[in-house]
Amino acid sequence: MSRDDAQGRRPRPPMSRRKALSSAVALGAMAALLATSVRSERVRPLPANRIRPPGALAEAAFLDACVRCGLCVQACPYDVLRPAGLGEAIPAGTPYFVARTQACRMCEDIPCVPACPTAALDHALVDIREAAMGVADLSDAQRCLSYSGLAYCHSCYHACPVKGQAIRMQQGRTAAGGLIRPAVDPDRCTGCGLCEQACVLDGAAAITVRANHLARR
Ligand code: SF4
Ligand code: SF4
Ligand code: SF4
């Protein structure tokens, strides 16, 4: 007897137990693959020059909390923050800045922080001087004009919003023959990167901010 329906179509045959089982296994494998890829994305270390916004939680907690909405990026009046793109070395959509290109201006009212709807940027941060985005360091001392004795340069010092505390010009002969050099107090440095942006050298700065998880562990 024919089993065609009123329009003459044959009903879809029921899925065999074996086929149902193999489909379930395939779906499970796909879910496991996705979970593994998300996990592997999460454990990738943040490159040293990618700095999270003020108030960012520790990296693992930050990645859990950040919903990649971009509201902190929009709230930044200086266009300092940017969302990571696909294929970058950090999870796509997460906010960061590169100090040499555009350092954080350390806004008094820190508008990026309350803009975050999930507190991935900790709303308890109300004093920008308490921010711990990273730590500056004279990472390439031999190229520093003051350290090498080529010039009496203070540009990084003058750029610092916490000068005299986070950074000072330390007197004393250096190994390269200079008489003065910038010295950073990691406990007072906010990691804003204004010193790195201001460094007078061409190309890379002699003083650089390292990402918080690398500098403060
Ligand atoms: S403190 Fe100001 S300049 Fe720095 S990231 Fe936040 S909004 Fe931008
Ligand atoms: S990153 Fe540089 S400019 Fe910013 S607080 Fe630290 S020493 Fe000062
Ligand atoms: S601005 Fe650059 S070259 Fe000048 S003292 Fe600072 S680190 Fe050295």
Side-chain angles (χ1 to χ4, degrees):
M1 186 202 294
S2 169
R3 291 173 181 254
D4 292 3
D5 65 12
Q7 283 78 39
R9 293 174 306 209
R10 282 193 180 275
R12 186 184 301 183
M15 192 182 282
S16 71
R17 276 174 63 86
R18 177 182 292 187
K19 201 166 176 184
L21 193 62
S22 68
S23 295
V25 168
L27 276 175
M30 194 180 295
L33 197 65
L34 271 175
T36 304
S37 95
V38 168
R39 272 199 302 275
S40 64
E41 180 186 58
R42 290 182 171 210
V43 296
R44 265 193 297 174
L46 200 61
N49 71 341
R50 302 291 202 277
I51 312 298
R52 293 294 188 200
L57 303 177
E59 186 64 10
F62 175 78
L63 290 178
D64 277 341
C66 174
V67 291
R68 283 75 159 159
C69 62
L71 290 173
C72 58
V73 176
Q74 284 176 28
C76 177
Y78 299 105
D79 292 332
V80 168
L81 301 176
R82 63 177 86 160
L86 286 172
E88 285 198 42
I90 64 176
T94 60
Y96 72 96
F97 67 93
V98 174
R100 186 63 168 156
T101 310
Q102 186 72 281
C104 169
R105 305 289 188 89
M106 284 184 58
C107 308
E108 287 289 328
D109 54 346
I110 332 178
C112 51
V113 169
C116 176
T118 66
L121 305 182
D122 188 353
H123 292 189
L125 178 69
V126 291
D127 181 352
I128 189 62
R129 290 180 178 230
E130 300 294 324
M133 296 172 268
V135 178
D137 179 48
L138 192 62
S139 51
D140 197 354
Q142 300 297 329
R143 289 177 61 239
C144 168
L145 300 181
S146 287
Y147 187 92
S148 64
L150 290 175
Y152 202 64
C153 177
H154 285 60
S155 293
C156 54
Y157 169 80
H158 287 302
C160 178
V162 203
K163 65 168 101 25
Q165 298 172 41
I167 191 170
R168 61 196 170 82
M169 295 307 289
Q170 186 175 310
Q171 308 278 341
R173 186 166 289 281
T174 71
L179 296 174
I180 195 167
R181 62 173 149 180
V184 175
D185 180 345
D187 293 329
R188 304 303 296 270
C189 174
T190 65
C192 67
L194 284 164
C195 55
E196 180 176 341
Q197 188 175 1
C199 179
V200 295
L201 298 179
D202 287 335
I207 189 166
T208 54
V209 175
R210 297 178 74 214
N212 205 20
H213 71 293
L214 295 172
R216 296 184 193 271
R217 63 184 171 185

